Amino acid sequence: MTDSRPLIMVSNDDGVHAPGLRHLIDSVKEFGDVIAVAPDAPRSGQASAITVDTPLRITEHDDIDGAKVYSVNGTPVDCVKLGLHAIMPRKPDLMLSGVNHGSNSGNSVIYSGTMGVAMEACMVGVPAVGFSLLHHSIAADFTHTTPYIIDIVRAVLQKGLPADVCLNVNIPAKCVPLGIKVVRAARGYWTEEYKEYSDPAGRPFYMLTGHFHNEEPDNDATDEYWLARKYVSVVPVRPDQTDTAAISTVREILCL
Amino acid sequence: MTDSRPLIMVSNDDGVHAPGLRHLIDSVKEFGDVIAVAPDAPRSGQASAITVDTPLRITEHDDIDGAKVYSVNGTPVDCVKLGLHAIMPRKPDLMLSGVNHGSNSGNSVIYSGTMGVAMEACMVGVPAVGFSLLHHSIAADFTHTTPYIIDIVRAVLQKGLPADVCLNVNIPAKCVPLGIKVVRAARGYWTEEYKEYSDPAGRPFYMLTGHFHNEEPDNDATDEYWLARKYVSVVPVRPDQTDTAAISTVREILCL
């Protein structure tokens, strides 16, 4: 490993054994030296969760396509933090996350471990991109995602990203995309979120389910609109959630 | 319980037995009917994490100051989602979270289960406020927080909040605050984040630690500035993390 090639850190939330991680490494290995630090098991829906008060351990795995591969017994963000602290030989030039088995469009960003990874890197000044495929299957076909991953990674390595912004890339499944659109996340919410069961003792329990209700399906400024039309969506995402435009209104509400 | 009084849902990330939850219920019970749905155990640092593929159960506890109290064996956001789905008799008029034992200022919002609760409610149209005390102790004194909680809750119940915005309120510890400031989150990052140990077999493990490095300690537009000067900080927080201002720049970077 030399300092002359870009150093690319890779993680995900589906775990170190996910095919999407392998595909991402394979897609970007030409651009630099790749080191993967991923959760030891699937950790979907972990957002920016961090592990407190519990020991974290690092395990080394077999290389993937020449990339060093490590796992951490924690969340996606733990992988970024501990990877930067104890594994990476220097601050990486790029952080990539995914390819996630499943969508992270609409308001799913807020629950997404894939985007938790990208936002964590962004907050410490590492350009970061999260990739997601709109297919949950462990056996999903990632082949058609490669040209888009390559184009986006090449551009970000060459030109960087705006300060304090990372990218959320979603890619349609089972088709060659028609193109790529930079848009905002569609407004919406999840509905019918739990299926109710009864255990052998007659006690109820609940399993998460439901679907995203898009409040603006006809708005071509949104990711959901273009994903439904077989385009790749790219949403600039800002880890800092302060709504500065609301400050004066909130002052009025609080009579300040 | 009648529909004429406001219905207030309460949760937290320190768990159903946390004194901060009890204090919050006690502080706001005069404003309406209160129902608490909180994690069955401490879940700090869980952000907007959700539990997938695991059964969730609801347990009823003794009332607190007349409020019905339930726990869920999941994350703070699970409590909001499942509480709205299976416990609350109707959509609440207000969601309150906390009072957190510990700060959620600066960029800690992104890791905060306290604010995960508020953002989840905000996304389904329920006005929401997260309260945090700048003291981690389970035995922290919350007495001086009451007037600020009451003032903010009264104002939000009377006037509502801007659409798609919730509030992140941090309160200094061990002092009567000098006032209240509506500001933005200070820019910064966490440093020296792990302490390294060696287990009895000689294998390393890591525990999360570190401190927030404030990049703008002299900026009076930020929460950290005023908290350090014994003021309560209120930051408007937006669950949608799209940076719409960056869309055109990202299009240029991707040659679109």
Side-chain angles (χ1 to χ4, degrees), chain A residues 71-93:
Chain A
S71 70
V72 171
N73 61 327
T75 67
V77 167
D78 291 336
C79 291
V80 179
K81 285 183 179 289
L82 189 55
L84 292 174
H85 180 88
I87 298 173
M88 301 302 290
R90 61 182 173 85
K91 189 172 177 176
D93 301 293

Side-chain angles (χ1 to χ4, degrees), chain B:
Chain B
M1 189 166 298
T2 68
D3 281 359
S4 59
R5 299 190 78 203
L7 179 60
I8 301 173
M9 185 173 176
V10 173
S11 192
N12 74 352
D13 75 354
D14 290 316
V16 68
H17 302 296
L21 182 74
R22 183 173 290 268
H23 178 77
L24 182 54
I25 292 169
D26 185 57
S27 298
V28 303
K29 64 188 179 191
E30 66 179 288
F31 290 112
D33 296 319
V34 179
I35 298 177
V37 186
D40 59 352
R43 295 282 194 137
S44 288
Q46 285 290 293
S48 289
I50 50 177
T51 298
V52 294
D53 297 333
T54 299
L56 293 177
R57 294 172 181 274
I58 298 167
T59 302
E60 188 165 357
H61 296 258
D62 290 340
D63 290 4
I64 297 177
D65 285 338
K68 301 284 278 180
V69 178
Y70 303 85
S71 70
V72 171
N73 61 326
T75 67
V77 167
D78 290 335
C79 292
V80 180
K81 285 182 180 289
L82 188 54
L84 291 175
H85 180 89
I87 298 173
M88 301 303 291
R90 61 180 174 88
K91 190 172 177 176
D93 300 293
L94 182 65
M95 177 90 225
L96 301 176
S97 183
V99 178
N100 192 58
H101 294 246
S103 156
N104 281 308
S105 55
N107 79 344
S108 296
V109 178
I110 202 164
Y111 309 115
S112 166
T114 304
M115 287 309 297
V117 164
M119 288 191 273
E120 182 65 26
C122 178
M123 287 194 295
V124 293
V126 177
V129 185
F131 294 98
S132 301
L133 178 72
L134 272 63
H135 200 297
H136 276 93
S137 170
I138 194 72
D141 179 10
F142 289 92
T143 314
H144 64 284
T145 69
T146 305
Y148 289 90
I149 294 170
I150 287 175
D151 282 355
I152 292 168
V153 167
R154 181 186 292 119
V156 173
L157 278 173
Q158 285 178 353
K159 304 175 195 168
L161 285 174
D164 306 321
V165 171
C166 56
L167 300 184
N168 180 25
V169 178
N170 279 270
I171 304 172
K174 299 180 181 174
C175 66
V176 175
L178 299 177
I180 183 167
K181 297 287 181 178
V182 185
V183 284
R184 66 171 173 80
R187 281 180 57 96
Y189 53 87
W190 289 77
T191 61
E192 299 165 10
E193 290 200 74
Y194 292 94
K195 186 168 180 185
E196 185 169 346
Y197 300 83
S198 183
D199 74 10
R203 294 169 302 202
F205 65 90
Y206 302 84
M207 300 278 285
L208 192 64
T209 175
H211 63 274
F212 180 71
H213 176 76
N214 185 354
E215 292 183 282
E216 43 183 358
D218 300 325
N219 190 332
D220 69 1
T222 69
D223 55 357
E224 296 283 353
Y225 179 94
W226 289 106
L227 288 166
R229 285 158 181 79
K230 302 192 187 308
Y231 281 75
V232 172
S233 68
V234 178
V235 174
V237 168
R238 191 173 60 125
D240 177 3
Q241 295 180 285
T242 303
D243 190 333
T244 49
I247 287 176
S248 59
T249 306
V250 173
R251 282 186 185 139
E252 289 168 18
I253 289 168
L254 299 181
C255 301
L256 297 171

Side-chain angles (χ1 to χ4, degrees), chain A residues 144-224:
Chain A
H144 65 284
T145 69
T146 306
Y148 289 90
I149 294 171
I150 287 176
D151 281 357
I152 291 168
V153 167
R154 180 187 291 120
V156 172
L157 278 172
Q158 284 178 353
K159 304 174 194 169
L161 285 174
D164 307 321
V165 170
C166 56
L167 300 185
N168 180 24
V169 178
N170 280 270
I171 304 173
K174 299 180 182 174
C175 66
V176 175
L178 298 177
I180 183 167
K181 297 287 181 180
V182 185
V183 284
R184 65 172 173 78
R187 281 180 57 96
Y189 52 87
W190 288 77
T191 60
E192 298 166 12
E193 292 200 71
Y194 291 93
K195 185 168 180 185
E196 187 168 345
Y197 299 83
S198 184
D199 75 9
R203 294 169 304 202
F205 65 90
Y206 302 84
M207 300 276 286
L208 191 65
T209 174
H211 64 273
F212 180 72
H213 175 75
N214 184 356
E215 293 183 281
E216 42 183 359
D218 300 324
N219 189 331
D220 68 0
T222 69
D223 56 355
E224 296 283 353

Side-chain angles (χ1 to χ4, degrees), chain A residues 16-17 21-22 25 36 59-71:
Chain A
V16 69
H17 302 298
L21 182 72
R22 183 172 291 267
I25 292 169
T59 302
E60 189 167 355
H61 296 257
D62 289 341
D63 290 5
I64 297 177
D65 286 338
K68 302 284 275 180
V69 178
Y70 303 86
S71 70

